[in-house]
Amino acid sequence: MQKMGRVLGIIKFDLVIIIVAVCMGIFMGGGVWAQGNVADEDSDGAVYIVSLKQAPTSLFSGELSLKKNKKHHAHYNISHGSASRKARFDKPSNVSGHPGSYVSRMHDSLLRKVFRGQKYMKLYSYHYLINGFAVLVTPQQADKLSRRKEVSNVVLDFSVRTATTHTPQFLGLPQGAWAQEGGYVTAGEGIVVGFIDTGIDPTHPSFSDNTSEKPYPVPEHFSGVCEVTRDFPSGSCNRKLVGARHFAASAITRGIFNATQDYASPFDGDGHGTHTASIAAGNHGIPVVVAEQQFGNASGMAPRAHIAVYKALYKSFGGFAADVVAAIDQAAQDGVDIISLSITPNRRPPGVATFFNPIDMALLSAVKAGIFVVQAAGNTGPSPKSISSFSPWIFTVGASTHDRVYSNSIVLGNNVTISGVGLAPGTDQNATYTLVSAIDALNDTTASDDMYVGECQDAINFNRTVVQGNLLICSYSIRFVLGLSTIKQALETASNLSAAGIVFYMDPFVIGFQLNPVPMRLPGIIIPSPDDSKIFLKYYNSSLERDQTTNKIVKSGAVACISGGIKANFSLSAPKVMFYSARGPDPEDNSLDDADILKPNIVAPGNSIWAAWSSGGTDSMEFLGESFAMMSGTSMAAPHVAGLAALIKQKFPTFTPAAIGSALSTTASVYDKGGGPILAQRAYANPDINQSPATPFDMGSGFVNATAALDPGLILDSSYNDYMSFLCGINGSASVVLNYTSESCGASTLSGVDLNLPSITIARLNQSRVVQRTLTNVGGSESYVVGWSAPYGASVKVTPTRFCVGSGESLNLTISFNATMNNSSPSFGRIGMFGNHGHVVNIPLSVIVKISYNTTSA
């Protein structure tokens, strides 16, 4: 079957979609046809994710309890040769006795029994983390399945979406975290980071194993494979990129898979996956050249870590939970150490609690297997409760700025300077150039009433004689935001007309849109502010001389020079939380009740991040054909933390996922580079004006501190059983927990407040509450002094106020909260523990509703 899958993997996608779906099902591990049939195209069939009561194969084989270095044996063969040869990773041989094969056959047998003679199509068999499958059936068939005694849960599939040259220096890696572990040549070595994203471009030098320092080792605990297709040929994987698969069965059954854009292979046709993988684990010292300009050298956070790719998101439609769950299940089976998800659901999960959804529950099983899970917070900020990553076992990362900024400006002939963006060279600073609007440079044959002609998308519309040697003025409208017009095309127009440069002014209808710096080969600038654009246009229009008879422009007296935006500047007011970064508090359910869980967990650099770009990447037309791109979003922040987690896992191989999260959280900083409080942007429009000090609901524990996280002093640990007790403590959750985990809730439960998290969040403080935290010393023996600040409207007492703890020892910290007023506005405080060996351990405090007395009885 797997040999057949390897052959079918290179099938052309101009075949009938049903044939492709069959091939995909075989290739990706378990898709089968029932009696040669599939749900009719005109039926009301849909994809459902089905969980069974019997335990998954990881529990059959006891793999979850085995040590990482014994968990798997590599099934690939590596051909050794000269340094120029790439390692070749082959598929494992087909072993008929593998428990996954047995489970898949069991799923097929159940479906045949339930749907005797009926049409259906199984897309995936999940067998490692969960025992279940994804199947295309009608709602009536799904209901029939749900009534079977073997079935525990049936959930309708849902859609998901995607949510570095200088950041290693900004995070202090060269002199800090890397230096502690022997420098960048060993940083992350032996750790496998799995990316569930849009794939990867294996030809990019950021993922080559031909490094001059020393050969990459083979990660012995990893058993993943590399799909071989026409788009992803043999030899694409190596000792750096150790695994690559793709998952698209759910999308294919819907008829929305676009083979031209999406690629039926791990190849990245979007760019997003290549970008995120290189942020976390791209090779060190890769030159960043964009638009023929040099922007330094790039490095991932853990440049010697290995990369495994599980493509489940696509350019044309995003992705679906059934494919993502399959990717998570495979990544865990392969033996990854860390999973990075720069994706979020398109809607808040329905039901008893947001935590109960197929993706989060699959990730809970991954955490049980010892895998640290990082997820982007989402780009839906800055509104409260906009967070799109919910569960306490997932480490949620928001986006912040870093201190490097690229600024550009244009100096007008009246000595007014207007700031703008654009990674562009400047004009000759000893000269000024005449400004000519595209509207005033039209050919006689061009219709002046064409409302889009001012966007400069076609040189044929303009008089070259009028434009030549001058600065061409073009409008930037909503069409650029939608991708209908592009900067690149306007630059080509300016170049064809021999313009000295190009100036874009912002259409007044484009409100609240923040531009990333855009690469330009010509001198150029984009004026992003509508108000500044009005000032610019007023100066230009006031300088025009027109023919009294024809009203044509005789002369333009407006001149300007462009400063250029290639050279970076550095700011002390960094980091700050970006306006788009999703915010807490964490919604517990669809009624927006608040959970006693802090989200996000932390913030990391996510704005204007240089990283690798796919040669086929079309996510940003401005970087089409480039090997690097500058992108922004929580998607860029999450892999920063995934890479830093690899460094922690390398130093502390026995750390649990919760321990890694604690090390990152308790050492995070709440101060910017200038020593002031980290600020959070509060609005889309004019975000740098609408900002105030960040709270834990903006930044979690704070901004990641890579060096301190490798020496945290004390950690707060939690286990899978703790998370299960938390889920069981949610009102009405017992049956849902049983459905998802096949485990019954016992008498012991925990509230979110009582989980041993490196934060304390109380959604409703009814007069008083006593909370405990267990601290474990992972350093040498040390004495600590405890200090704290109380949230407004509450008093706090912490005991003990001093303690000494030996290496490997644990102690309990007791925190007593008392409401001092009735108040429903969130307020915040902090507990700080200061060790005599220099360790500082912080725990943020958040209290939302405070009730000091019962108003009814009073």
Side-chain angles (χ1 to χ4, degrees):
M1 180 74 80
Q2 287 182 338
K3 284 186 178 179
M4 183 179 181
R6 193 183 306 175
V7 173
L8 291 173
I10 60 173
I11 193 166
K12 285 184 68 177
F13 258 72
D14 54 5
L15 299 179
V16 179
I17 190 69
I18 291 178
I19 297 176
V20 179
V22 176
C23 299
M24 290 287 293
I26 295 171
F27 185 60
M28 293 188 290
V32 297
W33 293 90
Q35 303 175 352
N37 295 326
V38 64
D40 294 332
E41 288 184 11
D42 58 352
S43 72
D44 56 351
V47 177
Y48 291 83
I49 301 171
V50 181
S51 303
L52 303 184
K53 293 178 180 177
Q54 192 171 355
T57 59
S58 58
L59 296 184
F60 293 161
S61 58
E63 287 188 17
L64 290 182
S65 62
L66 296 178
K67 294 290 185 184
K68 199 77 172 181
N69 61 353
K70 296 181 180 179
K71 189 166 88 170
H72 298 293
H73 297 288
H75 293 284
Y76 42 72
N77 299 313
I78 299 177
S79 58
H80 301 275
S82 65
S84 63
R85 292 185 62 188
K86 290 186 177 181
R88 179 172 176 265
F89 285 63
D90 296 322
K91 284 183 175 293
S93 58
N94 185 24
V95 182
S96 60
H98 190 275
S101 303
Y102 164 75
V103 172
S104 182
R105 291 194 299 271
M106 183 181 69
H107 295 165
D108 298 338
S109 176
L110 172 63
L111 287 167
R112 283 193 296 269
K113 288 178 183 177
V114 176
F115 304 131
R116 297 178 185 274
Q118 294 181 327
K119 299 176 181 180
Y120 67 89
M121 186 173 74
K122 188 185 78 171
L123 309 182
Y124 297 107
S125 273
Y126 309 129
H127 62 83
Y128 189 75
L129 293 177
I130 59 174
N131 181 7
F133 49 84
V135 63
L136 175 66
V137 292
T138 66
Q140 294 76 20
Q141 288 175 308
D143 182 63
K144 193 174 182 181
L145 259 180
S146 68
R147 294 197 298 269
R148 291 288 300 196
K149 64 180 181 180
E150 303 97 325
V151 173
S152 64
N153 204 34
V154 178
V155 178
L156 182 67
D157 193 14
F158 56 89
S159 60
V160 296
R161 60 189 173 194
T162 53
T164 319
T165 54
H166 176 68
T167 46
Q169 285 72 26
F170 184 55
L171 295 170
L173 296 179
Q175 294 77 36
W178 288 350
Q180 289 184 26
E181 299 303 306
Y184 69 84
V185 293
T186 60
E189 194 164 275
I191 305 300
V192 181
V193 184
F195 297 89
I196 298 173
D197 214 299
T198 65
I200 197 166
D201 182 352
T203 67
H204 199 284
S206 291
F207 313 122
S208 170
D209 65 353
N210 294 331
T211 58
S212 58
E213 290 84 11
K214 63 175 184 175
Y216 270 96
V218 177
E220 294 184 358
H221 66 275
F222 183 75
S223 65
V225 301
C226 194
E227 285 183 16
V228 176
T229 72
R230 184 173 58 186
D231 306 315
F232 211 82
S234 178
S236 293
C237 288
N238 52 44
R239 291 172 181 252
K240 174 72 173 180
L241 175 57
V242 293
R245 297 175 182 256
H246 84 291
F247 303 83
S250 183
I252 288 172
T253 63
R254 300 164 192 265
I256 61 173
F257 191 92
N258 185 328
T260 304
Q261 293 184 33
D262 298 321
Y263 299 96
S265 77
F267 183 78
D268 183 8
D270 180 278
H272 189 273
T274 299
H275 202 268
T276 56
S278 70
I279 291 171
N283 284 328
H284 180 269
I286 307 301
V288 179
V289 180
V290 175
E292 302 174 358
Q293 302 292 335
Q294 168 73 294
F295 292 97
N297 294 321
S299 175
M301 301 300 101
R304 290 287 290 184
H306 306 277
I307 293 169
V309 170
Y310 303 87
K311 178 178 174 181
L313 285 100
Y314 297 84
K315 167 64 180 175
S316 61
F317 58 86
F320 295 94
D323 296 327
V324 172
V325 170
I328 294 168
D329 193 64
Q330 188 63 58
Q333 182 180 352
D334 290 347
V336 302
D337 299 285
I338 294 161
I339 289 177
S340 178
L341 297 104
S342 289
I343 61 175
T344 56
N346 276 329
R347 59 180 174 86
R348 187 171 288 115
V352 174
T354 52
F355 321 116
F356 293 113
N357 68 80
I359 293 177
D360 282 35
M361 295 307 291
L363 292 173
L364 176 59
S365 294
V367 168
K368 183 179 183 181
I371 300 168
F372 182 67
V373 177
V374 185
Q375 185 177 24
N379 298 332
T380 50
S383 300
K385 301 187 187 183
S386 54
I387 199 81
S388 298
S389 175
F390 314 104
S391 299
W393 52 87
I394 298 171
F395 200 77
T396 305
V397 186
S400 74
T401 62
H402 53 96
D403 64 341
R404 183 196 59 207
V405 293
Y406 291 95
S407 58
N408 200 343
S409 62
I410 182 169
V411 182
L412 306 181
N414 58 1
N415 290 323
V416 172
T417 300
I418 297 176
S419 61
V421 297
L423 299 170
T427 55
D428 185 345
Q429 295 304 298
N430 296 319
T432 58
Y433 296 82
T434 300
L435 291 162
V436 176
S437 171
I439 301 298
D440 297 327
L442 296 177
N443 283 320
D444 293 336
T445 57
T446 303
S448 59
D449 59 351
D450 181 349
M451 63 185 300
Y452 304 125
V453 73
E455 295 172 7
C456 306
Q457 297 298 291
D458 193 343
I460 200 171
N461 294 320
F462 305 103
N463 186 327
R464 187 174 186 273
T465 304
V466 174
V467 176
Q468 185 174 8
N470 298 322
L471 297 177
L472 178 63
I473 302 172
C474 307
S475 65
Y476 189 102
S477 76
I478 192 68
R479 289 167 55 85
F480 285 83
V481 180
L482 299 174
L484 302 175
S485 296
T486 68
I487 298 291
K488 182 165 283 191
Q489 190 59 44
L491 287 168
E492 185 173 327
T493 296
S495 179
N496 289 338
L497 297 172
S498 299
I502 192 167
V503 180
F504 293 91
Y505 67 88
M506 190 62 63
D507 187 292
F509 294 104
V510 183
I511 300 171
F513 181 72
Q514 190 173 45
L515 284 167
N516 277 329
V518 176
M520 303 183 192
R521 287 178 168 82
L522 286 176
I525 187 172
I526 307 171
I527 302 173
S529 163
D531 290 338
D532 287 343
S533 295
K534 290 177 183 177
I535 294 171
F536 171 75
L537 291 175
K538 183 178 180 180
Y539 166 71
Y540 172 75
N541 289 324
S542 67
S543 70
L544 297 177
E545 295 181 18
R546 297 182 181 272
D547 184 279
Q548 296 293 327
T549 305
T550 64
N551 202 36
K552 286 187 176 181
I553 294 173
V554 177
K555 181 182 178 183
S556 170
V559 295
C561 64
I562 298 171
S563 301
I566 293 173
K567 186 177 179 181
N569 299 306
F570 297 90
S571 168
L572 291 176
S573 61
K576 66 176 65 173
V577 182
M578 290 305 300
F579 64 89
Y580 53 75
S581 186
R583 312 296 167 92
D586 189 11
E588 183 171 283
D589 51 40
N590 264 331
S591 64
L592 297 183
D593 287 338
D594 298 316
D596 295 319
I597 306 295
L598 180 62
K599 292 291 176 181
N601 294 90
I602 211 168
V603 293
N607 202 61
S608 300
I609 304 298
W610 280 119
W613 197 243
S614 173
S615 57
T618 57
D619 185 44
S620 173
M621 294 303 296
E622 313 310 340
F623 290 97
L624 188 65
E626 302 286 359
S627 59
F628 282 85
M630 179 181 286
M631 305 295 287
S632 295
T634 56
S635 285
M636 284 67 246
H640 276 90
V641 172
L644 298 177
L647 303 181
I648 298 173
K649 184 71 174 178
Q650 180 187 23
K651 182 175 181 180
F652 299 102
T654 62
F655 264 23
T656 66
I660 295 173
S662 173
L664 289 162
S665 297
T666 60
T667 58
S669 174
V670 295
Y671 301 105
D672 67 17
K673 190 177 175 183
I678 292 175
L679 299 177
Q681 296 177 339
R682 303 291 178 195
Y684 279 91
N686 301 314
D688 285 326
I689 297 174
N690 296 293
Q691 58 187 18
S692 60
T695 74
F697 289 163
D698 302 314
M699 64 176 179
S701 293
F703 181 77
V704 65
N705 183 333
T707 303
L710 283 173
D711 185 19
L714 305 174
I715 60 163
L716 296 90
D717 206 356
S718 296
S719 68
Y720 171 80
N721 290 335
D722 294 330
Y723 298 132
M724 284 293 292
S725 295
F726 159 70
L727 293 175
C728 288
I730 298 171
N731 189 33
S733 68
S735 61
V736 186
V737 171
L738 179 63
N739 288 345
Y740 269 111
T741 67
S742 301
E743 297 180 35
S744 299
C745 289
S748 175
T749 62
L750 284 173
S751 71
V753 176
D754 295 319
L755 272 174
N756 197 44
L757 303 176
S759 60
I760 299 174
T761 302
I762 303 176
R764 187 178 181 85
L765 177 59
N766 192 348
Q767 298 185 43
S768 63
R769 182 73 183 260
V770 177
V771 181
Q772 286 201 327
R773 289 292 184 264
T774 300
L775 306 164
T776 301
N777 187 3
V778 294
S781 297
E782 192 165 5
S783 297
Y784 284 85
V785 175
V786 183
W788 63 88
S789 61
Y792 177 75
S795 65
V796 173
K797 182 180 180 182
V798 182
T799 57
T801 57
R802 295 175 179 270
F803 58 84
C804 183
V805 59
S807 179
E809 293 181 352
S810 299
L811 65 89
N812 288 332
L813 202 68
T814 301
I815 307 100
S816 301
F817 292 84
N818 283 281
T820 58
M821 65 171 63
N822 283 5
N823 189 288
S824 59
S825 297
S827 54
F828 309 96
R830 186 167 293 269
I831 298 172
M833 288 161 275
F834 307 91
N836 65 336
H837 292 164
H839 291 110
V840 178
V841 180
N842 284 302
I843 297 176
L845 310 176
S846 308
V847 181
I848 303 176
V849 176
K850 280 85 54 181
I851 304 172
S852 64
Y853 58 88
N854 190 314
T855 55
T856 303
S857 62

